[in-house]
């Protein structure tokens, strides 16, 4: 019972140290991680036909990998991803990127810390966006997005122009996520794992918000405790452990997605 004498901060630090000790990072390539992310998000309700884009910055810095336009999230593999430049021109293979990837290039340009961007139109996020209200975080499980999700109240139309890139990049600010009115969501990450986790989380947060709004008045949670929870679940190791779990689930049904790179 030695730990009975430790305070909360000491216990949290001890748990983080244990995570570092007991969990090794999975040995996936970025292409495999991106393909897995497509399948993970498909299974979590982010499928909306050909709408939505997932990109990851390459080690070159000025190019990124993304899906081939025309393929659904459930069809993406490590082998059929494209590498494109800032003008969306493919550098390997045939095909084209989604034209809406243009606003991704602006985010990468203005936010050098961002290495992965996920933009999708999942059902509950889309429904919340129709109400033109910001995302409300009032539950422990969604605190990774507490004070970390911007809001764009005015829909700029189809996001294939540079104007949308400038708008969304500015709206993101120092946050990792944006709720886009009449549109969907966008999350960013320093890693693919981080972005994938946030994409899953923002859809769950929107669903919880809609359920709570239908039942009554949402009650705020204490600021300091919410910030503590935000930081607790936002570490790189925690993101990688979460992603590894989602990847294992996805591979049970989509084992083909990491083959043939």
């Amino acid at each position: 019972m030695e730990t009975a004498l430790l305070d909360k901060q000491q216990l949290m630090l001890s748990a983080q140290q244990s995570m570092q000790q007991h969990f090794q990072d999975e040995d996936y390539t970025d292409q495999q991680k991106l393909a897995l992310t497509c399948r993970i998000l498909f299974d979590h309700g982010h499928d909306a036909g050909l709408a939505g884009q997932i990109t990851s910055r390459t080690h070159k810095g000025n190019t990124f990998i993304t899906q081939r336009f025309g393929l659904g999230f459930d069809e993406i593999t490590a082998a059929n991803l494209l590498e494109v430049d800032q003008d969306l021109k493919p550098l390997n293979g045939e095909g084209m990127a989604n034209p809406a990837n243009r606003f991704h290039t602006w985010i990468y340009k203005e936010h050098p810390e961002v290495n992965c961007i996920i933009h999708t139109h999942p059902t509950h996020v889309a429904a919340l966006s129709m109400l033109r209200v910001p995302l409300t975080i009032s539950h422990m499980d969604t605190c990774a997005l507490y004070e970390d999700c911007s809001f764009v109240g005015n829909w700029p139309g189809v996001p294939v122009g540079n104007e949308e890139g400038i708008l969304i990049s500015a709206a993101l600010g120092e946050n990792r996520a944006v709720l886009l009115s009449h549109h969907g969501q966008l999350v960013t990450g320093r890693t693919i794992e981080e972005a994938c986790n946030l994409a899953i989380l923002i859809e769950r947060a929107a669903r919880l918000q809609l359920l709570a709004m239908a039942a009554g008045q949402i009650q705020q949670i204490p600021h300091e405790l919410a910030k503590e929870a935000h930081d607790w679940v936002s570490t790189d190791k925690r993101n990688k452990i979460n992603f590894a779990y989602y990847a294992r689930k996805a591979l049970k049904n989509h084992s083909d997605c990491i083959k043939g790179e």
Side-chain angles (χ1 to χ4, degrees), residues 12-109:
M12 291 173 68
L13 178 60
S14 176
Q16 289 173 343
Q17 292 171 341
S18 292
M19 289 181 205
Q20 294 290 340
Q21 178 183 354
H22 292 289
F23 293 92
Q24 301 299 316
D25 295 346
E26 297 291 342
D27 190 24
Y28 295 123
T29 67
D30 284 353
Q31 284 81 358
Q32 289 174 327
K33 290 178 186 178
L34 211 65
L36 280 165
T37 295
C38 288
R39 303 303 182 99
I40 290 166
L41 295 186
F42 178 84
D43 289 344
H44 281 81
H46 285 248
D47 174 55
L50 300 182
Q53 317 89 39
I54 304 176
T55 64
S56 176
R57 195 196 301 266
T58 71
H59 69 278
K60 300 174 187 176
N62 61 350
T63 68
F64 56 91
I65 52 177
T66 188
Q67 325 98 279
R68 188 188 305 265
F69 186 61
L71 298 179
F73 281 5
D74 59 324
E75 298 179 300
I76 299 302
T77 68
N80 63 30
L81 289 166
L82 297 175
E83 181 180 354
V84 300
D85 64 17
Q86 294 292 308
D87 296 314
L88 306 185
K89 294 179 181 178
L91 303 180
N92 59 346
E94 299 178 354
M96 63 177 284
N98 190 319
N101 272 329
R102 183 163 305 282
F103 71 82
H104 291 227
T105 67
W106 282 92
I107 294 174
Y108 285 126
K109 176 184 175 183

Side-chain angles (χ1 to χ4, degrees), residues 126-147:
L128 185 62
S129 79
M130 295 166 64
L131 301 175
R132 290 185 64 190
V133 296
L135 189 71
T136 298
I137 301 301
S138 186
H139 189 275
M140 179 179 68
D141 290 353
T142 60
C143 277
L145 289 166
Y146 182 77
E147 293 191 340

Side-chain angles (χ1 to χ4, degrees), residues 3 6 10 62 133 136 138 141 181 190 199 202 217 223 232 235 243-244 247 252:
T3 56
L6 300 179
Q10 291 172 313
N62 61 350
V133 296
T136 298
S138 186
D141 290 353
S181 289
R190 293 179 181 272
I202 196 171
Q217 181 73 32
H223 171 74
W232 169 250
T235 65
F243 181 84
K252 292 177 182 178

Side-chain angles (χ1 to χ4, degrees), residues 122-169:
T123 299
H124 298 94
V125 162
L128 185 62
S129 79
M130 295 166 64
L131 301 175
R132 290 185 64 190
V133 296
L135 189 71
T136 298
I137 301 301
S138 186
H139 189 275
M140 179 179 68
D141 290 353
T142 60
C143 277
L145 289 166
Y146 182 77
E147 293 191 340
D148 214 346
C149 183
S150 302
F151 178 64
V152 173
N154 295 315
W155 180 50
V158 178
V160 297
N162 291 311
E163 297 85 354
E164 287 76 25
I166 296 170
L167 171 67
I168 296 172
S169 179

